[in-house]
Structure formats: structure tokens, C-alpha cells
Amino acid sequence: MNQKYLFVINSGSSSVKFRLFGLSSDIPLLAQGTVNEIGGESRFSAKTISRETQELPLCPLKTHEDAIDHILAWLAHNDFALEDIKAAAHRIVHGGSRFSTPEYLDEETLEYLHSITHLAPLHQPHNLISVDILEDKVPDILQYGCFDTAFHANHDPLFTHFALPLEMAEEGVLRYGFHGLSYDWIASQLEKDHPKLAKGKVVIAHLGNGASLCALKEGKSIDSTMGMTALDGLPMGTRTGAIDAGAIMYIMDHMGYDLKQMETLLYKESGLKGLSGISNDIKVLCESDDENAKFAVEYFAFKTAQYIAAMAVSIGGMDALVFTAGIGENATSVREMILKHLEFMPNFEHHVIPTNEERRIAEKIWEYYAKDILGSANSLHKVAAF
Ligand code: ADP
């Protein structure tokens, strides 16, 4: 029987990243790529693992549907038959209070996930739209969701509660934490390559456009800097990170911002971009002589160090600090600035471990649903053969 595929998809507001894996126990990576700047000057880059890659001419990709169409056409062009894509696994940012494991995306599950989009307005709608698109494009595909909140699902109330009246927590007003797929991957890499550390106290710094920290003890997430939404904690590319709630009320009450304007300010115009007035891209800021660019980078490094110390309190110490994601993996000078602020802390190791959320998603789906997917692929195959 020919190879069947698992399509892992990570849809952002203007990008779609994908990886195609083989459906067998070693879950081989077969192809990967990204569409960037959907709706603008779209760019597509992709490659197959085993043979020379053929490109398709790129026309402007106006919507996520155009982007997914282009990816599927590229796959077909490179001899990955669409009917052999038996399952899709989506990175979904918010699983709310319901989901702590990967889920089959039936109608009821999707309805719940849509109902909490306001908790992740920058991500959730784009994550979910790809589910509908693939349902239309790939016959009989089984679709699953893996949640960024899931890795943090067992946090103690000390770490999940805001200091609000307790009934608010019963309404789901809680700190959930995000970037869980990245942290889950790093935890698995620690177990493989640093087994002694994996049993200890580790703070992971996922520093990308979105940025957060996770305090890990014996491989389990104990605390994270992100809260009910992905706005809390560290300053980010365009997001504020933690901010005095009184400042928000002041801006709305005295400066006339409505809710939509506030959302745009906090999610899209703040962080490195807001502080520098130049860019959300830390590489650009590190290379700039502009005083505000320098301030933005210093601010980011300083706040990150402060929160690393806070995470160490949550787990009673820190044996190691692990950097990951775009800034964590590549921006050496930013890592050095952060480490400098932490020189007062007792000895700890520091490591850089590349994140791989898409492989972690594939591993999870294999662990939970391999039987269902292969069973369904075989029965469809039999029907087709008759
Ligand atoms: P996202 O959250 O969008 O997945 P990434 O993890 O790709 O973000 O991280 C994007 C950030 O990483 C940007 O600020 C970018 O400048 C930074 N970055 C990527 N490569 C480098 C590099 N070589 N040097 C410095 N910063 C880098």
C-alpha cells in the first residue's frame, strides 16, 4: 500500500506553516514550507526532504484559502497525492478550560473553540479557518487540534488564579498559559539529551514574536508568564505583556479608546514596535543606532530577566535556563543581556534548544490517534479496492 500522510498546519494571522509527515511509527518528515504575508506581497517557500523540489509560479495569495490551495497544489505537483493525506493536525492556540489533550475536531468541539476566540483574537480565528478550508479541499480527511494551553492544564490554583473574587475563576477567568507545544517539545528534548536536567528545575524562555516563559519541574509545567490571554507577561514584538489594568481603564476612560481600539493598541501597536517606533523585529532593532531601538531591546531583556527570576521562585530554584524560538535561538546579544541581569543568581546552566512545535504535534497525534487514522485509511482503501 502506498504511503499515507499527516498534514500539520500552523495558521497565523498572515502566515501558514505546514509540514507533511508519513503515517508510520517513526513519523518521517517528508515536506515542509511556509506562506508569508497573505493578503500582501505573499511569499512561499517549501521543500521536500528526499528529492529535488519543484516550485510552482506564485501568484498573489489574498486569503488563507488561496494559501492552502497553493500548498496543496505544490504538494500534488511534488507527487504527494491529496487523497493520501488522511489526517490534518492543527495548532490551536486556546483550548479553554475543556481540552488538555489533542482532540478530534467534530462539530461540537469546533463550536466550543469558536466560542472562545475572543480569548485569542490574534490567533484562534486563523487557526480555525484552516479546519473549514481543509474539510472542503481534502476528501474524507480526519482533523485534529493540538492546543497551546494543554501543557499547562494541571497548574496549581496558586498559578491559575487572579486575585479576583473566587467566583470569577468559576466563570473561567483564569491564567491558562500558552506556547505549550513548544514547551512540550523542549521537555521531550531535555529528557532525551539532558536526562539529569529533565528531572530538575528548568525555566524555558520561548522568545519569538510572541514571548513567554515556562517554569518546569521534573518535566511538568508548574507556572507560565502568559495568562488568560496571550497578552500577559513579557513584552513581545507588538504586544504589551503585563500592564497595570488601571492604565487600561485610564486610556479608555480619559483618552476615549473603545474596546476595539484598545485591542489593537495592546496586541498590535505595543511591545518592541511601540517602544522603538521602528519595528517589531528584534534583529532590525539590534542593528539600529537609534536610541529608542536600543531602549526597546534593553527593556525586553530586562523584563525577561525579571520574569525568569519570578519563574525560579515558582519552582524553588533554577538548574538550567533554556532559550528557544526566533530570538532565543538566534539573537546572541539579547541572550547575553538577559544572562547579565541574572548573574546574581546561583550557578545555573544555559542552553539553546531549537523549538519544533510541528513535530511535537505530529508525535502527539500519532500517540493518541494512530489507530483511528490508520484504521480509517485502511477501511477507505478496502472500499476503494472493491
Ligand atoms: P513567531 O512567534 O512569529 O513564530 P519567531 O519564533 O519566528 O516568531 O521569532 C521572530 C523573532 O526572532 C523576530 O523578532 C526576529 O527578529 C528574531 N530573529 C530571527 N532570526 C534572528 C537572527 N538571526 N538574529 C536576531 N533575531 C532573529
Side-chain angles (χ1 to χ4, degrees), residues 10 15 17 91 123 179 206-211 237 239 272 280-287 324-334 355 357:
N10 182 351
S15 70
K17 292 183 200 161
R91 176 195 175 200
H123 300 93
H179 290 137
H206 177 108
L207 309 178
N209 259 321
R239 284 171 256 171
L272 294 170
N280 64 314
D281 186 330
I282 212 160
K283 192 161 186 277
V284 171
L285 301 181
C286 286
E287 286 163 2
T324 193
I327 299 172
E329 291 167 31
N330 300 296
T332 315
S333 62
V334 179
T355 193
E357 289 151 302

Side-chain angles (χ1 to χ4, degrees), residues 91-96 120 123-124 127 146-150 177-179 230:
R91 176 195 175 200
I92 296 180
V93 163
H94 219 306
H123 300 93
Q124 195 91 340
N127 300 158
C146 286
F147 305 100
D148 265 313
T149 45
F178 298 87
H179 290 137

Side-chain angles (χ1 to χ4, degrees), residues 31-337:
Q32 67 182 76
T34 310
V35 178
N36 279 314
E37 310 263 343
I38 298 168
E41 288 179 16
S42 30
R43 283 173 284 122
F44 176 67
S45 63
K47 60 179 182 190
T48 65
I49 297 309
S50 55
R51 62 204 128 105
E52 206 170 303
T53 311
Q54 302 177 29
E55 290 296 335
L56 282 181
L58 183 67
C59 45
L61 304 172
K62 292 202 184 77
T63 62
H64 281 70
E65 186 166 358
D66 293 344
I68 291 175
D69 269 340
H70 193 82
I71 293 168
L72 294 177
W74 179 86
L75 285 171
H77 197 66
N78 282 279
D79 300 330
F80 298 105
L82 287 199
E83 61 269 23
D84 289 329
I85 302 178
K86 292 300 165 197
H90 300 259
R91 176 195 175 200
I92 296 180
V93 163
H94 219 306
S97 46
R98 274 203 206 167
F99 301 125
S100 56
T101 52
E103 283 293 319
Y104 176 62
L105 296 175
D106 59 18
E107 233 169 83
E108 196 198 340
T109 304
L110 285 169
E111 202 173 304
Y112 173 72
L113 294 172
H114 277 287
S115 78
I116 55 170
T117 51
H118 55 285
L119 296 180
L122 222 56
H123 300 93
Q124 195 91 340
H126 308 290
N127 300 158
L128 294 176
I129 201 161
S130 303
V131 181
D132 294 341
I133 295 170
L134 281 178
E135 191 69 33
D136 282 349
K137 311 260 168 206
V138 185
D140 301 317
I141 194 166
L142 298 171
Q143 301 211 67
Y144 301 89
C146 286
F147 305 100
D148 265 313
T149 45
F151 190 61
H152 309 294
N154 296 314
H155 282 186
D156 189 273
L158 205 51
F159 304 110
T160 56
H161 280 51
F162 295 109
L164 286 166
L166 274 178
E167 55 268 28
M168 288 286 173
E170 282 152 28
E171 292 290 324
V173 183
L174 287 165
R175 303 183 65 249
Y176 294 93
F178 298 87
H179 290 137
L181 293 159
S182 176
Y183 295 132
D184 199 341
W185 168 259
I186 302 291
S188 75
Q189 295 309 101
L190 285 172
E191 213 170 289
K192 184 162 76 71
D193 298 331
H194 306 274
K196 202 160 156 247
L197 276 187
K199 292 193 176 66
K201 299 163 184 171
V202 178
V203 175
I204 309 170
H206 177 108
L207 309 178
N209 259 321
S212 74
L213 305 171
C214 178
L216 212 62
K217 198 170 171 183
E218 294 176 19
K220 302 265 177 304
S221 169
I222 303 296
D223 194 7
S224 169
T225 54
M226 276 184 173
M228 180 174 182
T229 68
L231 262 186
D232 205 1
L234 310 181
M236 305 173 220
T238 59
R239 284 171 256 171
T240 49
I243 175 172
D244 177 356
I248 296 173
M249 290 190 284
Y250 177 87
I251 295 169
M252 294 183 83
D253 207 20
H254 291 268
M255 298 171 71
Y257 277 59
D258 65 19
L259 195 60
K260 200 75 211 153
Q261 287 169 314
M262 205 63 223
E263 188 177 289
T264 304
L265 178 70
L266 297 175
Y267 276 99
K268 296 188 175 163
E269 293 172 352
S270 299
L272 294 170
K273 183 180 174 198
L275 283 171
S276 69
I278 296 174
S279 175
N280 64 314
D281 186 330
I282 212 160
K283 192 161 186 277
V284 171
L285 301 181
C286 286
E287 286 163 2
S288 166
D289 290 331
D290 185 277
E291 283 308 311
N292 292 340
K294 281 192 192 136
F295 176 68
V297 176
E298 271 166 25
Y299 187 94
F300 177 81
F302 180 71
K303 287 287 173 190
T304 302
Q306 274 191 325
Y307 274 101
I308 289 169
M311 289 293 109
V313 172
S314 299
I315 46 176
M318 182 169 81
D319 302 317
L321 172 62
V322 175
F323 291 102
T324 193
I327 299 172
E329 291 167 31
N330 300 296
T332 315
S333 62
V334 179
R335 283 202 305 269
E336 281 167 0
M337 288 164 84

